[in-house]
Amino acid sequence: MPQIIQFRYSKKAGFTGMAVLLIFICLLLTTTIRNYNAHDMLGIVIFGVFALLFIAVMGLMIVTRLMPAFKGEVALELDEHGVKDYIRNIILDWKDVEDIGLKPGRSSAMLIFELKFESDFGKTVAVSLRWVEGNENEVYNTVLAYFDEIEGIVREDEISD
């Protein structure tokens, strides 16, 4: 039996997301203050609402992504039964997985699990690696090697980093 492999939440991704949101909030608040000084009530309301919306999103990000990262919580787990994505609360059994792929993206890659049947999530399930700590290729190679070991699959070509 292979050992349980756990990938933690990424602090780096949390800080990056927070920095982007803080920049947007500062820009919106600056515009809101300028509108206030110009006595533009419509501008105050519009930009103020967007600033509050971004503040709410930032609060949500702190609670759902940054706090789990600081607590060292697990984002993705591999065990003998399957893969557990704690970020989106998805559990896939290895016996239901046909193959696993990696789909690169602009901001982060995604693990693509091709299922043997149509599930509630569809025939393919995408698991984002944005909030998972570690190199995306290394995470993919680890998941693929774990899957191959569990299912007894021997691949001819080696996956390179």
Side-chain angles (χ1 to χ4, degrees), residues 80-114:
E80 64 190 53
H81 303 292
V83 60
K84 296 174 182 82
D85 175 11
Y86 292 111
I87 298 169
R88 289 183 37 211
N89 200 21
I90 296 174
I91 299 173
L92 298 173
D93 288 331
W94 294 124
K95 65 180 174 27
D96 299 334
V97 176
E98 183 80 31
D99 200 10
I100 302 170
L102 182 68
K103 181 180 178 185
R106 277 189 280 157
S107 59
S108 70
M110 295 189 332
L111 290 174
I112 305 296
F113 292 90
E114 296 177 26

Side-chain angles (χ1 to χ4, degrees), residues 83-148:
V83 60
K84 296 174 182 82
D85 175 11
Y86 292 111
I87 298 169
R88 289 183 37 211
N89 200 21
I90 296 174
I91 299 173
L92 298 173
D93 288 331
W94 294 124
K95 65 180 174 27
D96 299 334
V97 176
E98 183 80 31
D99 200 10
I100 302 170
L102 182 68
K103 181 180 178 185
R106 277 189 280 157
S107 59
S108 70
M110 295 189 332
L111 290 174
I112 305 296
F113 292 90
E114 296 177 26
L115 302 179
K116 295 177 182 174
F117 60 90
E118 190 79 22
S119 73
D120 294 341
F121 303 107
K123 182 92 167 115
T124 60
V125 177
V127 175
S128 175
L129 296 178
R130 172 176 296 179
W131 305 106
V132 177
E133 188 174 65
N135 178 288
E136 295 166 344
N137 288 326
E138 289 175 10
V139 172
Y140 167 67
N141 288 335
T142 302
V143 172
L144 189 62
Y146 200 97
F147 173 67
D148 289 351

Side-chain angles (χ1 to χ4, degrees), residues 4 17 30 38 64-66 70 76 99 121 123-124 151 156:
I4 295 174
T30 302
T64 61
R65 303 295 190 260
L66 210 50
F70 282 121
L76 187 68
D99 200 10
F121 303 107
K123 182 92 167 115
T124 60
E151 294 295 312
E156 293 179 21

Side-chain angles (χ1 to χ4, degrees), residues 17-73:
M18 294 290 293
V20 170
L21 283 174
L22 282 173
I23 289 169
F24 281 127
I25 291 168
C26 288
L27 290 172
L28 287 169
L29 288 177
T30 302
T31 306
T32 304
I33 292 169
R34 285 187 188 146
N35 287 330
Y36 177 79
N37 290 335
H39 303 291
D40 179 8
M41 289 303 291
L42 182 62
I44 294 170
V45 171
I46 291 173
F47 289 106
V49 166
F50 280 111
L52 291 175
L53 181 68
F54 275 94
I55 290 170
V57 169
M58 188 171 78
L60 186 64
M61 183 183 289
I62 289 171
V63 170
T64 61
R65 303 295 190 260
L66 210 50
M67 287 176 64
F70 282 121
K71 291 178 183 177
E73 291 182 12

